[in-house]
Amino acid sequence: MNRFSRKMNKSQLIRSMLPILIILLALNKEVYGFSQLAWTFSLSKRTTNYDETRSKSSRRRMSLSMKTTPSPFPYPVRISVMGGGNFGIALATVCARNGIPTTLLVRSEEVAEEINTKHKHPRYMSDIKLPHNIRATSDPATALSDATYIIHTVPCQYSRDFLNDIKEHIPNGTPILSASKGIETSSLGFMNDILHETLGDEREYAFLSGPSFAREICEGVATAVVIASDDLMLASDLAGLLSDDSFRVFTTKDVIGVEIGGAVKNVIALAAGMCEGLGLGTNAMSGLVTRGCGEMRRLGLTFGAKPSTIAGLSGVGDTFGTCFGPLSRNRKFGYRLGQGETMDEIRASTTEVAEGVDTSIALVNLIKTKCRGYRLDLKYPILFGVASILNGTQTPKQGLEGLMTMPFMMMESFDERY
């Protein structure tokens, strides 16, 4: 052993230990059930004669490639997705692509039958072929009774009634991942509040948000989102299950930050759409969205969110996608308002839900209830302005003109002191 040690220099010793370290790291990842790193290790030896002089000693070239893959769980995983709208279809597709048996809970058995036989939804993204391992049903007992994880995608304003109707079929302790965003108009609660009040505190909850259009997810376009949970191990497990080569999931413990970003961005998108509909140009829209992100940050700090969360995927990232993306329902709704259509006309012509409409009213009521200070309308002029337009107090043109004629302020941010 001593003679062998003298022959090996330090770098050779490190290289000889590297494969062992890689194997130990991979085993450690697998044991704890987190999303593992799939390590591929290859060695190519330039020379094979160990007895050559040190100047011609063997060289080894190592290539290490990593990709995120779901780690094998020590039990069979089955996922149920509640809600057969665009985003429910998208997340069901992500799960099914990763080889996970996935059940989609939809409203009617006719829709379920079409998904099961033709592998497409008859109303939402009907041109997209769904994976064959997605099974749909309208029966909550069938969909939920054996689920390892449940994903909730029912819009915020309908979530409380829906959850109360089906909660008896949800197994005790089954974790819930919510992808719904917004603030309930009746209670002024976020989805975290609604889930705890309807399904109790004896299970763990997680919340998914980020710039993620359903169609692009189904088409396999590169997408990055974040999952927030008080239980970081749950967030990590869910990230491992959902992540693949085109869908990357990050994690955080900042639940309120993710929820505020997901709610406020839809309201900002309504304002951006109005701006575009009025033909005010890129300068105006860029300034509006930037100032809207400032109001999001201010509200987030009031509720204890981390600034890094507001600046991340679920805050600024999702705002950019929703304000400038052609697939954004809220931007389209705002655009049509800016073009002169009424809310009733817009709602009558589409089956899609623009969550920002109801959230805008709830958001202003929440600010008035929870936030203190002088002239809240000056601290949140865009959020208050959008609500007044939706309430019919002013037109989109009057509202956006009002932003330019606000009382003059020198400081760009109320948060600055000097």
Side-chain angles (χ1 to χ4, degrees), residues 79-81 103-105 137-147 150 169:
I79 290 182
S80 294
V81 179
T103 303
L104 186 63
L105 179 59
T137 179
S138 61
D139 179 21
T142 302
L144 305 173
S145 59
D146 63 346
I150 294 174
H169 303 294

Side-chain angles (χ1 to χ4, degrees), residues 317-334:
D318 207 357
T319 302
F320 287 170
T322 310
C323 290
F324 301 113
L327 299 175
S328 168
R329 299 188 300 268
N330 291 283
R331 187 194 65 81
K332 289 178 185 177
F333 197 101

Side-chain angles (χ1 to χ4, degrees), residues 33-325:
F34 301 143
S35 59
Q36 70 178 16
L37 294 176
W39 300 81
T40 304
F41 178 78
S42 66
L43 281 180
S44 63
K45 194 175 179 182
R46 282 280 182 85
T47 60
T48 58
N49 188 354
Y50 185 78
D51 295 326
E52 291 182 8
T53 60
R54 287 192 178 182
S55 61
K56 295 181 180 181
S57 62
S58 60
R59 288 187 176 183
R60 296 171 183 266
R61 292 196 305 175
M62 295 168 289
S63 65
L64 195 62
S65 66
M66 298 182 296
K67 69 176 183 177
T68 306
T69 60
S71 70
F73 278 66
Y75 47 81
V77 174
R78 301 183 65 85
I79 290 182
S80 294
V81 179
M82 301 189 299
N86 285 332
F87 211 68
I89 294 169
L91 291 183
T93 299
V94 170
C95 297
R97 272 198 313 237
N98 287 339
I100 304 170
T102 305
T103 303
L104 186 63
L105 179 59
V106 297
R107 290 184 181 180
S108 69
E109 196 56 38
E110 291 77 12
V111 171
E113 182 66 19
E114 182 141 357
I115 292 174
N116 293 334
T117 56
K118 298 181 180 179
H119 306 292
K120 65 177 184 177
H121 197 288
R123 293 174 59 192
Y124 300 112
M125 299 187 293
S126 57
D127 58 316
I128 290 181
K129 203 76 171 176
L130 302 178
H132 286 207
N133 55 334
I134 294 178
R135 303 299 297 173
T137 179
S138 61
D139 179 21
T142 302
L144 305 173
S145 59
D146 63 346
T148 316
Y149 300 97
I150 294 174
I151 300 176
H152 176 80
T153 66
V154 176
C156 177
Q157 305 305 328
Y158 306 100
S159 287
R160 187 180 295 274
D161 289 341
F162 173 83
L163 291 169
N164 280 328
D165 288 341
I166 57 90
K167 64 182 180 182
E168 64 183 286
H169 303 294
I170 298 179
N172 293 332
T174 301
I176 308 291
L177 171 62
S178 172
S180 304
K181 305 169 184 176
I183 301 172
E184 190 178 35
T185 54
S186 58
S187 68
L188 304 183
F190 293 95
M191 280 305 305
N192 190 24
D193 304 309
I194 296 172
L195 288 168
H196 278 278
E197 290 168 7
T198 55
L199 302 183
D201 302 328
E202 301 304 316
R203 71 178 78 244
E204 297 298 329
Y205 300 98
F207 304 86
L208 183 148
S209 191
S212 48
F213 291 119
R215 175 170 289 276
E216 292 189 359
I217 293 174
C218 291
E219 292 173 347
V221 176
T223 302
V225 297
V226 61
I227 289 179
S229 178
D230 293 329
D231 187 336
L232 200 54
M233 185 176 292
L234 171 62
S236 297
D237 281 352
L238 290 169
L241 286 170
L242 298 180
S243 293
D244 59 24
D245 291 340
S246 63
F247 194 77
R248 178 64 188 273
V249 184
F250 296 86
T251 61
T252 179
K253 293 188 70 174
D254 188 8
V255 172
I256 188 61
V258 166
E259 290 239 76
I260 285 177
V264 176
K265 62 95 179 181
N266 285 328
V267 181
I268 301 173
L270 288 171
M274 293 179 210
C275 187
E276 184 180 2
L278 289 168
L280 297 184
T282 305
N283 289 351
M285 184 182 294
S286 300
L288 181 73
V289 172
T290 304
R291 296 295 294 169
C293 288
E295 294 182 26
M296 177 192 293
R297 177 181 179 274
R298 188 170 302 119
L299 185 65
L301 292 177
T302 300
F303 280 83
K306 296 178 181 178
S308 58
T309 304
I310 302 300
L313 289 168
S314 61
V316 173
D318 207 357
T319 302
F320 287 170
T322 310
C323 290
F324 301 113

